[in-house]
Amino acid sequence: MSSRILLRLIDESIIPALSVFLAKVIAVLYLIQTSAVGWRLDPQTVVPRLIIEDPIRLSFINTYSNLVMLFVALCGLVWVLLRAYHLHESHIEPKIVLRLLSLNLTALIVSSEDIYHQATVWLALVWLTTMLIGFQTLLNMGQSWLLFVSFMVAIFSTWFVVADVEREMEPSKL
Amino acid sequence: MKTLLNIGLLLMLFVLLGFPFVGSEWMLRLPAQIGVVAGTRVVAPENINVIPNVKDFNGYVAFSPTSLANGKYTDTISLTSFRNQKATYYGAYSLYNVSATESFDVEVVAPSLPASESFTKFDRLLITISSSNHSTTLTKSIEKGATLVQVADPTLFKEGDLIWIENESTKVLVVSTDGLVVTPLMQRHNVGQTVYTGAIVVEPNSIISAQTRTIKLTPGEQATIDVSVWGADQSLSQEDTFSLPLEIRFH
């Protein structure tokens, strides 16, 4: 029998992964359009790839499209963390439950299982974005300030996720 | 069987989470090579960094780079001249050879002078290129009428070079270990002043010398391009801005 956790993680990762990738594609196309940079399609590849003639503009496009990617991954994680902190069924405040009941929004209340699968996926995306930024910075294809920003974002995000897990594991301290 | 299935699922998860990043890394590339110079050398962009200094000059210098292609970086630099003053923009560009093994020859060229009224509002513009380990400053003051110019590194000069010491130009007759023997100087010059050699020289509405000397950048070495502008004393405004197309050529 297959692992239920893995199946759940796969299920939860499809939309986040697509969102992050689409954010990158849209950001790249927008930046190419607005910065009037010279580009052409690489004729040697089947999967579309853009050749940018100018390394300075390539670095600029990579940096800001990676920033958009990081922003999308962070938004997903923040949404999950907000639900973890305020709408987690294990420690949601009764007055919030009543409010959600009156608005017919009880579907927003999440279980620990939902939260931790989603948080794992979004946190992995934040760290993978940081790794991509680091890799491109090493190759001089991106600006180094973004590596610092994304690393700090990844560290703080991890800390918030861990803090919520700890809160879940020690309910007596609430 | 169960283990194999789970390994497969784990791989699928890695692929799902990894594809946005592999795809992102895949989707943009520089050209495989940026061109052949004089039919002999290929200069790949990953081997050269050209960094315009956009942060040190408080808006008095601006850049408009267009490309790094065919072995040359092209830009239009906007400079500010100040009435009756000399402005020196040290490190207007920094060039880095980031290749681990290859050396490159580099020079700067001013291909043309755009028609502009502002090109009459300075007395002289000098653009020089130097690698990090060389200095061309005077090590001893020179009296009026002297013929020996003592500089930190005489090996950078050769016989016949036209040199500039501040506002005065002269020709190098002999290079010796003591310094440079030149035609008698008309002015006194103080220790520490820069001796310009192999410079692009632009005077009002004319290019006197369109190309700097060529320097060699060894792996890991850095060079800088400095710009000096002597503002005209008859200019009506306190400061004037003008633009000059430049090419930095690698081969």
Side-chain angles (χ1 to χ4, degrees):
Chain A
M1 185 170 169
S2 55
S3 162
R4 202 167 57 83
I5 292 177
L6 284 175
L7 280 173
R8 186 67 199 277
L9 283 173
I10 289 169
D11 185 37
E12 292 286 0
S13 62
I14 293 170
I15 289 175
L18 273 175
S19 320
V20 168
F21 184 60
L22 278 177
K24 172 81 181 186
V25 173
I26 291 167
V28 164
L29 295 178
Y30 176 77
L31 289 167
I32 284 176
Q33 173 98 23
T34 51
S35 61
V37 62
W39 65 276
R40 58 191 160 85
L41 278 172
D42 189 346
Q44 294 177 329
T45 59
V46 179
V47 181
R49 174 154 80 173
L50 305 179
I51 305 264
I52 305 290
E53 301 289 348
D54 183 342
I56 295 168
R57 301 262 170 102
L58 175 72
S59 171
F60 169 82
I61 291 168
N62 259 333
T63 300
Y64 287 94
S65 58
N66 287 344
L67 183 63
V68 172
M69 264 180 111
L70 181 68
F71 180 73
V72 169
L74 188 63
C75 282
L77 186 61
V78 166
W79 171 240
V80 172
L81 285 174
L82 279 176
R83 293 175 80 195
Y85 274 74
H86 299 293
L87 304 171
H88 198 161
E89 66 180 11
S90 67
H91 47 256
I92 188 170
E93 289 178 33
K95 64 179 181 185
I96 297 179
V97 176
L98 290 174
R99 179 101 178 127
L100 290 173
L101 276 170
S102 67
L103 295 170
N104 202 18
L105 288 173
T106 48
L108 288 175
I109 299 173
V110 283
S111 65
S112 297
E113 191 180 326
D114 288 340
I115 283 293
Y116 295 134
H117 284 107
Q118 290 170 10
T120 304
V121 167
W122 285 109
L123 190 60
L125 290 175
V126 168
W127 275 106
L128 285 167
T129 307
T130 304
M131 286 167 65
L132 173 76
I133 291 166
F135 179 68
Q136 292 189 337
T137 304
L138 279 176
L139 295 179
N140 283 328
M141 290 168 67
Q143 296 166 12
S144 53
W145 63 267
L146 184 60
L147 178 59
F148 175 74
V149 169
S150 64
F151 188 70
M152 295 311 290
V153 164
I155 291 283
F156 278 107
S157 306
T158 307
W159 185 82
F160 278 113
V161 172
V162 170
D164 188 64
V165 174
E166 279 193 343
R167 202 156 64 139
E168 173 72 8
M169 290 169 73
E170 299 176 43
S172 59
K173 288 187 179 174
L174 286 172
Chain B
M1 187 63 192
K2 181 183 166 188
T3 309
L4 277 177
L5 187 63
N6 285 334
I7 289 172
L9 285 175
L10 195 59
L11 285 175
M12 193 185 289
L13 179 66
F14 285 159
V15 169
L16 254 177
L17 288 175
F19 103 85
F21 306 98
V22 177
S24 300
E25 170 54 23
W26 164 267
M27 69 188 297
L28 290 177
R29 273 286 176 280
L30 284 167
Q33 63 185 46
I34 63 170
V36 177
V37 178
T40 54
R41 289 286 303 274
V42 175
V43 180
E46 62 267 25
N47 289 332
I48 292 290
N49 276 349
V50 180
I51 314 289
N53 189 339
V54 294
K55 60 182 181 183
D56 287 343
F57 304 127
N58 292 328
Y60 292 122
V61 179
F63 303 90
S64 183
T66 50
S67 67
L68 177 56
N70 299 322
K72 69 184 179 192
Y73 170 92
T74 53
D75 198 347
T76 299
I77 186 169
S78 295
L79 298 158
T80 306
S81 64
F82 298 89
R83 187 174 66 192
N84 205 22
Q85 286 183 45
K86 176 192 172 191
T88 298
Y89 302 108
Y90 290 111
Y93 295 91
S94 297
L95 318 176
Y96 299 88
N97 179 356
V98 293
S99 158
T101 53
E102 286 190 86
S103 296
F104 302 109
D105 291 331
V106 188
E107 70 250 350
V108 188
V109 177
S112 62
L113 206 60
S116 163
E117 195 183 318
S118 293
F119 270 95
T120 61
K121 300 200 173 154
F122 60 88
D123 283 341
R124 186 168 300 106
L125 163 71
L126 294 183
I127 299 174
T128 54
I129 183 169
S130 57
S131 54
S132 46
N133 299 323
H134 299 291
S135 169
T136 57
T137 52
L138 288 177
T139 54
K140 198 171 178 185
S141 297
I142 311 170
E143 297 303 323
K144 185 178 173 184
T147 55
L148 183 65
V149 175
Q150 289 174 286
V151 290
D153 190 352
T155 59
L156 293 173
F157 301 84
K158 61 181 190 300
E159 287 177 22
D161 276 355
L162 186 66
I163 62 170
W164 293 83
I165 311 171
E166 283 303 304
N167 233 351
E168 182 174 9
S169 67
T170 186
K171 197 172 235 181
V172 176
L173 302 175
V174 176
V175 179
S176 73
T177 50
D178 292 335
L180 315 173
V181 178
V182 298
T183 50
L185 293 164
M186 307 300 287
Q187 299 169 26
R188 184 183 190 281
H189 299 285
N190 292 322
V191 63
Q193 283 186 339
T194 303
V195 180
Y196 300 94
T197 181
I200 290 173
V201 184
V202 181
E203 291 189 346
N205 288 328
S206 64
I207 296 181
I208 307 299
S209 170
Q211 184 170 331
T212 64
R213 67 197 168 98
T214 302
I215 63 163
K216 186 176 280 295
L217 273 187
T218 54
E221 197 175 10
Q222 177 190 353
T224 54
I225 296 171
D226 302 327
V227 182
S228 297
V229 187
W230 283 261
D233 55 3
Q234 75 277 17
S235 176
L236 292 177
S237 50
Q238 197 63 37
E239 58 187 64
D240 293 290
T241 303
F242 59 95
S243 298
L244 182 70
L246 283 181
E247 291 176 6
I248 303 170
R249 295 180 180 168
F250 304 94
H251 47 97

